[in-house]
Amino acid sequence: MNDMENDDNAVGCFCTLIDEWKGYYEGEIIEDYGMQYVVRLTSGCELTVNRDDVVVCF
């Protein structure tokens, strides 16, 4: 269970993917869809990931 489960302030925070995607693992949360985030990676790609698949940096 993620510590952010009841926090609505994750948008705009930097995060790290637990499992890298094509060599990238750092990004920024740009959307919050409840149990999922949309993350913009440093490569510019945007992914939809489960909350449990990221570590959010405040």
Side-chain angles (χ1 to χ4, degrees):
M1 181 178 283
N2 193 320
D3 294 336
M4 290 283 306
E5 198 161 314
N6 295 319
D7 194 343
D8 295 329
N9 297 321
V11 174
C13 292
F14 290 100
C15 65
T16 303
L17 300 177
I18 292 173
D19 295 318
E20 68 180 37
W21 184 81
K22 295 187 178 184
Y24 295 95
Y25 56 91
E26 294 180 339
E28 178 183 356
I29 296 172
I30 58 171
E31 293 285 338
D32 183 348
Y33 293 129
M35 294 304 295
Q36 295 181 320
Y37 292 131
V38 176
V39 175
R40 181 179 297 131
L41 299 175
T42 54
S43 67
C45 293
E46 296 179 4
L47 301 175
T48 302
V49 296
N50 291 324
R51 283 181 178 234
D52 293 337
D53 294 333
V54 297
V55 176
V56 180
C57 305
F58 288 99

